[in-house]
Amino acid sequence: MWRDLLPIGRNPESGGYRRYAWTGADADCRTWFREQAETRGLTYEVDRNGNQWAWLGDPAAGDAVVTGSHLDSVPDGGAFDGPLGVVSSFAALDELRTRGAQPHRPLAVVNFGDEEGARFGLACVGSRLTAGQLTVEAAHALRDADGITLPQAMERAGYDPEAIGPDPERLARIGAFVELHVEQGRALAALSDSGSAAGPHPVGVASAIWPHGRWRFDFHGEANHAGTTRIEDRRDPMLTYANTVLAARKKARLAGALATFGKVSVEPNGVNAIASLVRGWLDSRAADEETLAEVVAAVEQAAVERGERDGVDVRVTRESFTPVVEFAHGLRDELAKMLGGAPVLPTGAGHDAGILSGTVPTAMLFVRNPTGVSHSPAESATEDDCTAGVTALADVLEGLACR
């Protein structure tokens, strides 16, 4: 499975992946998923929001145990973020069959669409629509960098954008959702490095997801000639933007939070032109919502104050926000017990499991990442740890669905 999936959407220059929603690479990933389902004799279906499902047992029976993740990527992302969860889910079903386990609850593997939000700027579109956390109107208004709307992209890929929307009946059939994911950090590796008495920890259980969001900062200045405009006559939004990036780093560090400007667009984007508009996107995360709000407010204040000095108008728009997610404590503790006291740890990364947590009992497993690098071609996990992840997921599925 891993070998078949690895070439899809890989950029030969960067070595990273560009598997964006409703593109050719996305279609190839979807074909791969369907083939995996059909090879195993699973019931395959696509829901109204384009999420793919592979069922072992009757989908309508209810109280299902569902696992899976996503197959799309960030720009030039790594091979493990998302796909490891989907590959491991199919492998865990194979392991259950090898064990002769007999499920008394339906089992399913899911591939949620557009989790990363790389194309349309909003993460977890497929699961947000399903859970009713994204309105149809807001989804239809999403556009990519080329001005293509989400409905247009779906139509070109052969899907019906008029069908999207909340799917409470589907969610009501799910008794538990467990998502396996490569760890996006070094917490498990650090535990192993520390010589913990419990020994190495290739797999952990998630306790919570930090609250997080995305804010768009628009810095409006005045376009002018880079070679003839005196420094004192400039209204340069790039200057204000640069100072805001530094302010974000400082405010986050002081608060024990995270703040990152990772995407920027410039108009008119000429080498010899002072920009008229710089647009930057802030990603910020913190252990609690109050701290997150304070950090974002402090970054905005720093931007406005610097803008006043530079003659630049600053406007801030919140594009998305996900509150703190506390995974179902009973399910979380049950998984940790099944896995022999696996470590329980929080994460700053958002996931489809976090979106579903308000409606469905959800939990997450993390597979150790030796470098902690994620959203990069350097993202990795060892074969032994990936195998341990499959075994752990199979143990969990057997415990939830077969006993």
Side-chain angles (χ1 to χ4, degrees), residues 192-240:
S192 300
D193 293 344
S194 68
S196 167
H201 300 282
V203 180
V205 178
S207 60
I209 297 176
W210 281 13
H212 55 279
R214 298 179 181 184
W215 289 261
R216 190 186 75 235
F217 281 63
D218 293 338
F219 302 88
H220 294 268
E222 181 179 61
N224 217 326
H225 196 294
T228 62
T229 310
R230 298 189 309 164
I231 292 293
E232 54 268 32
D233 293 336
R234 299 184 179 202
R235 295 176 53 216
D236 187 353
M238 188 66 78
L239 186 63
T240 313

Side-chain angles (χ1 to χ4, degrees), residues 98-243:
T98 299
R99 296 177 184 180
Q102 297 296 320
H104 58 79
R105 301 166 66 178
L107 282 167
V109 178
V110 62
N111 168 36
F112 282 110
D114 200 5
E115 193 271 354
E116 295 290 6
R119 182 173 182 184
F120 297 101
L122 179 65
C124 301
V125 171
S127 56
R128 284 183 193 273
L129 282 167
T130 300
Q133 296 184 22
L134 175 63
T135 66
V136 174
E137 293 76 17
H140 280 185
L142 293 173
R143 292 177 179 271
D144 67 10
D146 296 320
I148 299 171
T149 66
L150 176 63
Q152 290 171 332
M154 291 185 70
E155 284 181 337
R156 293 176 184 179
Y159 293 82
D160 181 10
E162 298 305 318
I164 66 174
D167 202 347
E169 292 182 2
R170 178 173 297 275
L171 294 181
R173 299 183 206 155
I174 303 174
F177 175 62
V178 180
E179 180 174 4
L180 179 144
H181 205 280
V182 67
E183 187 189 3
Q184 294 169 293
R186 290 197 74 254
L188 288 172
L191 284 173
S192 300
D193 293 344
S194 68
S196 167
H201 300 282
V203 180
V205 178
S207 60
I209 297 176
W210 281 13
H212 55 279
R214 298 179 181 184
W215 289 261
R216 190 186 75 235
F217 281 63
D218 293 338
F219 302 88
H220 294 268
E222 181 179 61
N224 217 326
H225 196 294
T228 62
T229 310
R230 298 189 309 164
I231 292 293
E232 54 268 32
D233 293 336
R234 299 184 179 202
R235 295 176 53 216
D236 187 353
M238 188 66 78
L239 186 63
T240 313
Y241 166 72
N243 277 273

